[in-house]
C-alpha cells in the first residue's frame, strides 16, 4: 500500500497488553548486572591501577579518558544505526551480544595487563588503545544491542519501565 505498513490492530493490542514473567525480568536483569559489574570494576580501579601501580601520570590518563568519552559518543550513535539495520534470525540485538561478549571479556583483561617493562610512551599508547577498544567500541557494541532488547521484548510501556 504505497510503502505504508498496516498493522493488525488486534495483534498490536495483544503486544501492548503482554506482560513479562518474573523469570523473564530477572533474566534480563542478570544480563545487565554482569555488564555493570565489569564496568564498575573498570571505573573504580582502573585509574588507581594506572597511576599507583603502573606509575603513569594522572593528567595524561585523565586526558586519555576524556578523549575516549568523546569518541564513545560517536560510537554509540554508530552502533545504534548498526543495530537498526541488522537483519538476523536471532534478532537485532541478540546477534551482536553473542558476537561481542567474548571479545569484550578478553579485552577487559587486557586493560589490566599494561606491559611494565616498556617505555612510558608505549604504555600510554597501550592504555589509549586498550581503553578505547573496551569502553568506546566493545562495551558500546554490547550494551546498545542489550538495551535494545527491552524495547523488542514488549510494546507495553509499563513492562519496559520495569526492565529499565
Amino acid at each position: 500500500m504505497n510503502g505504508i505498513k498496516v498493522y493488525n490492530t488486534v495483534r498490536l493490542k495483544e503486544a501492548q497488553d503482554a506482560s513479562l514473567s518474573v523469570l523473564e525480568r530477572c533474566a534480563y536483569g542478570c544480563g545487565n548486572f554482569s555488564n555493570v559489574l565489569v564496568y564498575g570494576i573498570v571505573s573504580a580501579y582502573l585509574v588507581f591501577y594506572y597511576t599507583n601501580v603502573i606509575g603513569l601520570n594522572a593528567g595524561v590518563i585523565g586526558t586519555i579518558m576524556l578523549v575516549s568519552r568523546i569518541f564513545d559518543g560517536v560510537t554509540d550513535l554508530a552502533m545504534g544505526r548498526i543495530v537498526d539495520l541488522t537483519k538476523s534470525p536471532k534478532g537485532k540485538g541478540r546477534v551482536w551480544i553473542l558476537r561481542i561478549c567474548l571479545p569484550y571479556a578478553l579485552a577487559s583483561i587486557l586493560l589490566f595487563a599494561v606491559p611494565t617493562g616498556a617505555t612510558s610512551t608505549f604504555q600510554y599508547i597501550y592504555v589509549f588503545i586498550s581503553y578505547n577498544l573496551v569502553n568506546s567500541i566493545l562495551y558500546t557494541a554490547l550494551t546498545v544491542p542489550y538495551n535494545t532488547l527491552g524495547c523488542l521484548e514488549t510494546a507495553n510501556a509499563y513492562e519496559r519501565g520495569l526492565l529499565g
Side-chain angles (χ1 to χ4, degrees):
M1 294 180 63
N2 297 334
I4 299 173
K5 292 182 179 178
V6 178
Y7 294 99
N8 183 336
T9 55
V10 174
R11 193 162 198 203
L12 184 59
K13 178 71 173 143
E14 287 172 2
Q16 288 173 340
D17 290 339
S19 64
L20 300 174
S21 70
V22 173
L23 182 62
E24 288 172 316
R25 290 181 195 152
C26 289
Y28 184 82
C30 286
N32 207 22
F33 176 75
S34 64
N35 284 343
V36 172
L37 181 67
V38 173
Y39 188 76
I41 291 170
V42 168
S43 297
Y45 297 112
L46 193 62
V47 173
F48 175 81
Y49 172 74
Y50 286 156
T51 57
N52 292 15
V53 176
I54 302 298
L56 299 175
N57 183 299
V60 175
I61 296 300
T63 303
I64 289 171
M65 291 182 173
L66 173 67
V67 170
S68 298
R69 288 289 134 212
I70 295 167
F71 178 58
D72 186 37
V74 174
T75 60
D76 286 348
L77 295 172
M79 192 63 205
R81 182 71 176 146
I82 290 168
V83 170
D84 282 343
L85 296 174
T86 299
K87 291 177 180 21
S88 166
K90 293 186 185 332
K92 288 178 176 279
R94 192 170 292 116
V95 67
W96 288 106
I97 294 167
L98 293 171
R99 288 177 184 169
I100 300 298
C101 63
L102 186 60
Y104 176 66
L106 295 174
S108 295
I109 293 168
L110 292 177
L111 281 176
F112 294 94
V114 177
T116 54
T119 65
S120 61
T121 303
F122 181 81
Q123 288 175 330
Y124 288 121
I125 292 169
Y126 181 91
V127 166
F128 181 80
I129 292 171
S130 64
Y131 186 78
N132 275 293
L133 177 66
V134 170
N135 284 320
S136 300
I137 298 171
L138 295 173
Y139 185 73
T140 295
L142 187 63
T143 57
V144 169
Y146 187 81
N147 291 327
T148 302
L149 290 179
C151 297
L152 298 174
E153 286 294 318
T154 180
N156 186 324
Y158 176 74
E159 291 291 332
R160 287 181 184 181
L162 288 177
L163 287 178

